[in-house]
Amino acid sequence: MRRSRFLRGAGCLLQGTGCIPCKPSHLPPWGYLSFYQPCLHPVLQRCFRAPTWYCFENHFRPAVALYFFRTLRKDAKSIIDFPAQHLTVTDIKQYLRSKDIHFHDGYSCLHAPSIFMQPAPEGSGKENYSLFIDKTTGQFLCKETLVEGSWEDLQDCIEVMLNESQTSISPNVLLGFPESMEEQEEREMEMKEVQRIWSSSMPFSDLLDEEVQLIKTMFQIGKLTNATLKKFGVRFFKPTKCLVFPWFSGRDLCLRGVKLLSAAMKADGRVVYIEATVPKISSYHNLFGLPLIGRKDSEVVLTGREVDSMAVNQATGLPSLALPRGVSCLPPILLPYLEQFKKVTLWLGGDMRSWEASKIFSRKLGLKRCSLIRPGDIQPCPSEALAQGRNLARIVKASIPAAHKSIVSFKQLREDVYGELANVEQVAGIQWSRFPELNRPTGSGKTTFISECALDLCMQGVNTLWGSFEINNVRLAKIMLTQFAKQRVEENLDQYDVWADKFEDLPLYFMTFHGQQNIKTVLDTMQHAVYLYDISHVIIDNLQFMMGQENLSVDKFAVQDHIIGAFRKFATNSCCHVTLIIHPRKEEDDKELQTASIFGTAKASQEADNVLILQEKKLVTCPGRRSLQVSKNRFDGDVGIFPLEFNKASLTFSAPVKGKQKLRKVKVDKNISTEEIEETELKEKREKALKPAKAKTVKGSAALKDTTDGEGNNQ
């Protein structure tokens, strides 16, 4: 593959000796440099040597040459520095459309006809979409010519092609920086070493049966047949006792590198396997098994090791590829080679590191087409599964989709949330003209409070799944984003991307259900989320909305008890905390809620480990009218109540207040009923209310104390 930075063909734009060339609109200003009067930019002096290597082939007189440059990158990995702009797939599509270049969407790349090949005749239907453009970075690769480069390189090529009124451009148009003598010698030595190792290694068919058995035992591949090893081109290198895995080019099947696998014995008797690649690992981009993939293959299994790939192929007959660096990374340059597959199953190994890598790689490859195999005792890595005699085809078939149709993350909701924040008035609908106070309502009830509680845990790394059956996910995400930023985001839209980027990193997911849902469907989605995303906290808001009112002939209390029992069983079996929001019964305005106020039978409070009641004095408007009561605590029995103060700007209850609010504990005697406790508390409030009030204005935490009489009226 050809690394590139400058256009050899750019000289065609600069013909003549006294003209000022027409610069493409997307390029930065050009620097004009003379052979006789060098005026190199300070940073360019580090990389530009004598400009004799940059020749425009008789387009100029020998005395003067003209070329453009960009400044250098600050990082050591690259030489050119481009403007610090965030490239989006929309930018790429708009540019291609503006140049009348056809393309279609792939999973991780855009597919376009290669500009480095002669186009097929019009109407022939043989247009070759072999140019792949990464949707995230804009990096491109032509699979037919192996030309690759950055998004800026592709723009340069397109500009040159169009300015010359051509339909294609030579693959040699991109000119890389010249290698130093040391780099050239190193590359030549590496290729010589590759050829030496390959020519000196022996196919398994040329080895004695005793040697083959010994080698297979040493590398724990006794179940792999000689036919499979021959099919994948595996050899044995006797001088270092290594397995040799070849890297063949997918286009012309030429040998480009090798990976050596050796075995070593530790002092404690353990056998460890050591990998080495030629060329070095940063240049080793081998998808082991790629030459065996047919053009019509639509399914593939990705593994983390070469022996695993062979095990899968032998046991299932499915196409299988091994990543060059295992679970360490999935190089973006390999994504175009995986675009043809409609289904990608990731079986990267048998440990949790492999599982985490599978989830990360599936996002790169496109969640909708990926399936994952979770490691476990009955699902080890493929080579071990083959050695244990397990059914690999059944394991692959039992893989779970990486994306669930009923689960989304904030990434999918991000643009909709921004739309609501940017168009607050339109989203609000028609405004009241005679009752303007109705235009400014702010929810500050159960959903708002629980969303902040869930956000608190999620920010500490608790993987969270929201099931909002009452309000839609966009509105819920908007509330949580406001609570996360602790400010009105709609008034600071210039900071939206900053906060959204941070919020997107949280382990937060949403179920797409709304309104009445079947309990089995909800539980299946929750189970999938626990399995795939390691969810440890699920919020159901709320029980009544999920139940609906369609089956009026069925006892609704019996249905509710069944649902609560199902959630209890799920929480126990999955080791997952479930927060269930339930509406209370309608009580008198002057009475506080209690455990018996929970809608339905007593099963809800009996099954729950903790019961929290959001109390609100409806006849009071001053601060302190809301409080949170812990009425059941199965952990240590402590119960009590503490005040809440709602911050309308940030939609939070956790706004800092002067002084410390402590949980007022309530001693519970097993022989005293709940009604007697309530009467005792009410009596204490009456006695407190009869005390003469101080003339001094009370501020801070003192203002949050109860100041109501027994009838709920202010004193």
Side-chain angles (χ1 to χ4, degrees):
M1 297 182 183
R2 299 175 176 84
R3 293 283 180 187
S4 58
R5 288 296 178 267
F6 285 90
L7 293 176
R8 190 195 303 274
C12 299
L13 293 173
L14 309 178
Q15 293 180 2
T17 56
C19 64
I20 298 176
C22 177
K23 179 182 75 66
S25 60
H26 73 281
L27 296 177
W30 288 351
Y32 297 92
L33 310 178
S34 167
F35 287 179
Y36 296 118
Q37 296 179 345
C39 57
L40 290 175
H41 190 281
V43 293
L44 289 175
Q45 293 177 0
R46 298 199 298 268
C47 67
F48 280 101
R49 301 175 186 173
T52 54
W53 61 269
Y54 195 81
C55 177
F56 289 137
E57 299 177 357
N58 301 323
H59 287 299
F60 298 93
R61 291 181 299 179
V64 179
L66 203 56
Y67 56 91
F68 62 86
F69 62 86
R70 299 186 181 95
T71 56
L72 299 181
R73 285 188 187 272
K74 294 180 181 179
D75 58 278
K77 294 182 180 179
S78 181
I79 301 178
I80 302 299
D81 186 19
F82 302 107
Q85 298 178 354
H86 178 64
L87 183 68
T88 66
V89 66
T90 304
D91 297 332
I92 298 174
K93 290 180 178 180
Q94 287 177 349
Y95 179 81
L96 295 176
R97 289 191 185 105
S98 70
K99 304 302 179 182
D100 291 327
I101 297 176
H102 301 289
F103 64 88
H104 61 76
D105 249 319
Y107 298 100
S108 53
C109 300
L110 297 178
H111 305 188
S114 177
I115 63 173
F116 304 102
M117 300 173 60
Q118 286 294 333
E122 259 186 71
S124 64
K126 296 181 179 179
E127 200 164 19
N128 188 3
Y129 284 77
S130 60
L131 184 67
F132 295 84
I133 307 169
D134 192 296
K135 291 182 182 180
T136 304
T137 64
Q139 186 175 5
F140 75 92
L141 168 69
C142 174
K143 287 176 65 175
E144 294 297 327
T145 61
L146 300 185
V147 176
E148 67 175 63
S150 67
W151 171 240
E152 288 79 9
D153 291 333
L154 183 59
Q155 287 178 299
D156 291 343
C157 292
I158 294 173
E159 295 291 340
V160 170
M161 182 183 72
L162 296 179
N163 276 279
E164 293 185 350
S165 301
Q166 299 294 324
T167 57
S168 64
I169 194 168
S170 170
N172 299 320
V173 70
L174 292 170
L175 181 67
F177 283 102
E179 292 179 320
S180 65
M181 292 296 295
E182 293 82 3
E183 292 172 336
Q184 189 173 357
E185 289 177 0
E186 181 182 359
R187 184 170 58 83
E188 290 177 354
M189 287 180 62
E190 283 182 337
M191 291 312 300
K192 287 181 180 179
E193 182 67 8
V194 168
Q195 293 296 337
R196 185 188 70 84
I197 293 173
W198 185 247
S199 60
S200 301
S201 58
M202 300 180 65
F204 276 74
S205 58
D206 294 346
L207 297 172
L208 298 175
D209 292 342
E210 294 80 5
E211 291 178 315
V212 171
Q213 291 303 320
L214 182 61
I215 294 168
K216 288 184 177 181
T217 302
M218 182 168 60
F219 291 97
Q220 299 181 8
I221 56 173
K223 294 287 185 175
L224 290 179
T225 64
N226 290 351
T228 299
L229 296 169
K230 181 181 179 180
K231 179 181 179 181
F232 282 85
V234 180
R235 295 186 177 185
F236 185 70
F237 188 56
K238 281 190 174 182
T240 56
K241 295 182 173 58
C242 295
L243 288 180
V244 181
F245 303 110
W247 173 16
F248 291 117
S249 169
R251 181 172 64 101
D252 51 14
L253 297 181
C254 66
L255 184 66
R256 302 185 60 189
V258 292
K259 178 184 283 190
L260 305 176
L261 181 67
S262 59
M265 181 77 74
K266 287 287 186 179
D268 57 0
R270 290 185 300 110
V271 178
V272 295
Y273 297 98
I274 304 169
E275 293 181 351
T277 64
V278 186
K280 55 189 176 183
I281 192 65
S282 59
S283 304
Y284 186 80
H285 295 143
N286 176 26
L287 276 173
F288 180 73
L290 187 62
L292 302 177
I293 301 296
R295 288 184 177 272
K296 295 184 179 181
D297 287 334
S298 60
E299 182 179 354
V300 71
V301 179
L302 282 186
T303 67
R305 300 188 307 157
E306 288 76 9
V307 292
D308 289 340
S309 181
M310 291 188 288
V312 170
N313 182 264
Q314 176 179 302
T316 66
L318 293 172
S320 181
L321 299 173
L323 299 177
R325 299 175 66 178
V327 299
S328 300
C329 73
L330 172 56
I333 196 63
L334 298 179
L335 296 179
Y337 296 100
L338 301 171
E339 281 290 295
Q340 76 177 77
F341 302 109
K342 295 180 180 179
K343 181 178 180 182
V344 179
T345 303
L346 289 96
W347 193 356
L348 299 183
D351 55 9
M352 290 310 297
R353 186 186 176 198
S354 304
W355 173 243
E356 294 301 323
S358 297
K359 292 188 285 187
I360 294 172
F361 294 172
S362 64
R363 296 189 185 100
K364 272 189 180 181
L365 294 165
L367 291 172
K368 291 184 178 179
R369 64 167 172 165
C370 290
S371 296
L372 312 181
I373 297 176
R374 181 160 188 155
D377 293 337
I378 61 173
Q379 294 183 167
C381 66
S383 57
E384 290 183 11
L386 182 65
Q388 296 172 9
R390 299 190 180 277
N391 190 327
L392 274 70
R394 184 177 299 172
I395 294 176
V396 172
K397 189 175 181 180
S399 61
I400 61 169
H404 194 283
K405 63 179 181 180
S406 301
I407 300 176
V408 296
S409 65
F410 179 72
K411 186 175 182 179
Q412 282 88 0
L413 306 174
R414 179 169 175 158
E415 293 302 321
D416 292 332
V417 172
Y418 179 82
E420 287 211 1
L421 292 171
N423 303 279
V424 176
E425 294 184 359
Q426 296 179 25
V427 173
I430 300 174
Q431 302 289 293
W432 300 90
S433 59
R434 298 192 179 189
F435 308 99
E437 291 299 321
L438 294 178
N439 296 328
R440 297 190 294 271
T442 300
S444 57
K446 298 177 290 297
T447 300
T448 307
F449 173 74
I450 290 297
S451 69
E452 187 179 7
C453 289
L455 181 63
D456 186 358
L457 298 175
C458 190
M459 291 171 65
Q460 299 179 61
V462 177
N463 296 355
T464 304
L465 176 68
W466 254 98
S468 179
F469 299 88
E470 185 170 352
I471 65 174
N472 64 55
N473 287 327
V474 174
R475 183 184 171 194
L476 175 61
K478 183 174 67 173
I479 293 172
M480 297 188 75
L481 180 63
T482 303
Q483 293 173 332
F484 180 74
K486 293 186 177 179
Q487 59 178 299
R488 299 188 74 86
V489 184
E490 61 267 30
E491 296 176 359
N492 302 277
L493 283 178
D494 57 325
Q495 301 178 21
Y496 177 78
D497 285 333
V498 176
W499 288 112
D501 288 342
K502 295 179 181 179
F503 191 72
E504 197 173 302
D505 291 335
L506 296 179
L508 179 63
Y509 303 89
F510 303 87
M511 284 190 276
T512 58
F513 302 126
H514 191 67
Q516 181 180 359
Q517 294 296 330
N518 181 277
I519 181 62
K520 185 179 185 302
T521 305
V522 176
L523 288 173
D524 288 345
T525 304
M526 291 164 57
Q527 192 64 55
H528 181 95
V530 169
Y531 184 86
L532 187 61
Y533 303 116
D534 300 311
I535 296 296
S536 52
H537 185 200
V538 178
I539 302 98
I540 301 296
D541 180 23
N542 59 61
L543 181 62
Q544 283 88 340
F545 261 77
M546 193 190 77
M547 288 172 54
Q549 299 294 331
E550 290 185 5
N551 298 321
L552 298 178
S553 60
V554 181
D555 184 358
K556 59 184 178 181
F557 294 134
V559 173
Q560 178 174 315
D561 288 351
H562 169 71
I563 293 175
I564 291 172
F567 282 135
R568 171 77 257 185
K569 183 178 180 181
F570 167 83
T572 303
N573 295 341
S574 303
C575 296
C576 178
H577 189 94
V578 177
T579 298
L580 184 61
I581 300 176
I582 305 179
H583 283 303
R585 288 195 182 97
K586 300 300 180 183
E587 301 283 8
E588 297 293 334
D589 290 343
D590 58 345
K591 291 184 179 180
E592 290 188 346
L593 300 174
Q594 53 185 327
T595 304
S597 301
I598 299 174
F599 182 84
T601 66
K603 186 175 180 65
S605 58
Q606 290 172 351
E607 294 285 359
D609 293 326
N610 306 289
V611 176
L612 305 181
I613 300 177
L614 188 62
Q615 300 282 10
E616 181 176 4
K617 299 180 179 67
K618 297 181 180 179
L619 302 180
V620 178
T621 58
C622 63
R625 70 190 183 98
R626 291 187 183 89
S627 58
L628 185 70
Q629 179 182 352
V630 181
S631 63
K632 181 179 181 180
N633 180 2
R634 188 168 281 170
F635 177 67
D636 60 5
D638 282 351
V639 294
I641 190 170
F642 63 89
L644 297 173
E645 182 176 353
F646 181 67
N647 187 320
K648 189 173 181 179
S650 61
L651 304 181
T652 59
F653 289 90
S654 58
V657 294
K658 295 180 180 179
K660 295 182 178 179
Q661 299 295 343
K662 295 183 179 180
L663 180 71
R664 179 165 58 84
K665 294 185 178 181
V666 180
K667 294 182 179 180
V668 180
D669 190 341
K670 294 182 180 179
N671 298 322
I672 301 177
S673 64
T674 305
E675 290 76 8
E676 291 175 339
I677 294 174
E678 294 292 330
E679 289 178 4
T680 303
E681 290 183 355
L682 195 59
K683 185 177 180 181
E684 290 177 356
K685 289 180 183 178
R686 288 198 185 99
E687 292 175 354
K688 196 172 186 180
L690 292 175
K691 292 181 180 180
K694 295 182 180 180
K696 185 178 179 180
T697 303
V698 180
K699 296 183 178 180
S701 60
L704 299 177
K705 293 182 179 178
D706 294 320
T707 57
T708 58
D709 61 15
E711 302 300 319
N713 299 316
N714 289 337
Q715 293 290 314

